[in-house]
Amino acid sequence: MPRIPEELAGSPSPMLPEPHSQHASEVGRGDRFEFGKNWANFLSVLDDRRIEQATRSLVTMLGVENLQGKSFLDVGSGSGLFSLAAMRLGATSVHSFDYDPHSIASTREVKRRYFPEAENWTIAQGSVLDRDYLGSLGTYDVVYSWGVLHHTGSMWEALGNVVPLVAPDGRLYIAIYNDQGALSKWWTFLKKTYNRLPRVAQGPFALLVMGPREVAMAGWYIVSGQPMRTIHAWTRYHEQAVNGRGMSRWHNIIDWIGGYPFEVATPEQIVQFYRDRGLVLESPMPPRHRKMGCNEFVLRHVLPSD
């Protein structure tokens, strides 16, 4: 497994904010996965290819060539990769915030590596459930929150809280876990179990849960005469349009099995929820029966005259 970069490892660290007491308490009880530590590990494999793929995925979903003249808000910045992509696309301002102190440290490290002097990229610790904090941010042309709001423990509140952040005619780009009915309840149980295990047992548990799926996939590729696809599923994962987004397969597996709190919604629920609040779907409607993972949505905050 990739190691945490030296500058993010250990305690205390000058880059690491004081842990949010509520966040630390939730982690201690096993009620929250430490997403930030996983993203800190991811920084050890971050390279230009992954950054380029993340940037391309942002351009593709938003249907733009660049973000020049646009402000960008990264809600739940995680590793900081997509804040970096927005900067590379020429956003006039980028604000990144996250609830997890290690995610903030990771985002600051990415900024240090690539845009150390940029005054138009600001980073802070905050919660999408904190309306006072959100009220201090103003509005943005692009509000981005990929795979975040369903991990807050209060998904529908979080989904509603981001609406006032989207400027008139601005875009909201989110990804939310698909509702798989009984299977989603089973995944909730597995995720809760992972977080309540001793740290030394979490990696083996992830392999126990996800290993059979990986082996079955490899077997299928071999039987179908495509053995190299097994290797590419790992070595070229960052190139995949939806799941890759510049990420790594191992870190996404840990993010998936450990990702708790965990809530889900159908595409129709998301689209109707935002339609009632003045945001209309611009991206294609996700397929209703997708088996596993996130549905992506790009929604436009319509003007009263639209």
Side-chain angles (χ1 to χ4, degrees):
M1 187 190 310
R3 295 171 57 251
I4 297 177
E6 185 176 343
E7 61 269 28
L8 297 183
S11 178
S13 166
M15 293 186 56
L16 188 64
E18 285 296 319
H20 189 290
S21 59
Q22 184 176 340
H23 178 273
S25 176
E26 291 169 352
V27 170
R29 294 195 307 267
D31 290 336
R32 179 169 296 279
F33 175 61
E34 290 188 278
F35 293 95
K37 287 189 175 180
N38 193 42
W39 293 130
N41 274 310
F42 168 71
L43 294 193
S44 65
V45 299
L46 180 61
D47 56 22
D48 287 342
R49 292 182 307 157
R50 297 178 191 278
I51 295 168
E52 174 59 30
Q53 183 59 30
T55 304
R56 191 178 308 125
S57 73
L58 201 55
V59 164
T60 299
M61 280 301 292
L62 292 175
V64 299
E65 294 183 1
N66 56 62
L67 291 176
Q68 293 176 9
K70 304 291 185 183
S71 54
F72 185 92
L73 178 64
D74 194 349
V75 179
S77 58
S79 66
L81 176 58
F82 281 84
S83 292
L84 171 60
M87 287 292 292
R88 287 200 164 189
L89 288 169
T92 55
S93 66
V94 173
H95 183 67
S96 317
F97 76 89
D98 203 292
Y99 181 56
D100 189 313
H102 286 275
S103 289
I104 294 303
S106 295
T107 302
R108 287 177 176 163
E109 168 60 12
V110 169
K111 182 178 186 289
R112 184 194 68 80
R113 291 183 189 181
Y114 297 97
F115 285 91
E117 306 300 326
E119 296 183 359
N120 62 329
W121 181 359
T122 54
I123 303 167
Q125 185 173 13
S127 170
V128 73
L129 300 180
D130 183 346
R131 294 188 181 182
D132 289 338
Y133 172 70
L134 299 183
S136 71
L137 298 179
T139 61
Y140 291 78
D141 298 306
V142 178
V143 176
Y144 175 86
S145 191
W146 209 103
V148 172
L149 305 180
H150 49 229
H151 289 314
T152 59
S154 187
M155 182 182 71
W156 293 105
E157 179 184 357
L159 288 166
N161 284 354
V162 297
V163 173
L165 302 174
V166 186
D169 204 38
R171 269 65 178 175
L172 173 64
Y173 179 6
I174 62 171
I176 298 295
Y177 280 133
N178 188 45
D179 188 349
Q180 301 172 265
L183 188 55
S184 292
K185 292 181 174 61
W186 172 242
W187 279 116
T188 302
F189 169 75
L190 291 175
K191 290 167 183 284
K192 184 181 292 187
T193 300
Y194 173 95
N195 283 281
R196 295 189 176 178
L197 287 172
R199 189 175 300 276
V200 69
Q202 290 177 340
F205 181 77
L207 291 174
L208 179 66
V209 172
M210 302 300 288
R213 180 175 179 270
E214 296 297 315
V215 171
M217 182 182 69
W220 169 253
Y221 287 151
I222 292 170
V223 169
S224 61
Q226 306 174 78
M228 289 303 296
R229 288 192 65 182
T230 300
I231 297 173
H232 292 165
W234 286 82
T235 61
R236 297 183 180 178
Y237 183 76
H238 60 283
E239 299 175 1
Q240 298 173 23
V242 174
N243 294 323
R245 301 171 49 253
M247 301 301 185
S248 81
R249 189 174 184 86
W250 173 250
H251 294 98
N252 268 11
I253 284 175
I254 295 300
D255 182 87
W256 167 253
I257 192 64
Y260 188 81
F262 172 74
E263 293 181 75
V264 297
T266 66
E268 292 84 359
Q269 286 175 319
I270 295 296
V271 171
Q272 185 60 55
F273 179 87
Y274 280 118
R275 183 183 296 127
D276 292 343
R277 289 158 178 79
L279 280 77
V280 297
L281 184 69
E282 285 199 328
S283 58
M285 184 73 169
R288 175 64 183 86
H289 298 294
R290 183 173 174 178
K291 291 183 179 179
M292 188 168 114
C294 288
N295 293 315
E296 293 185 289
F297 307 85
V298 175
L299 304 112
R300 181 170 65 92
H301 199 167
V302 295
L303 298 170
S305 58
D306 286 354

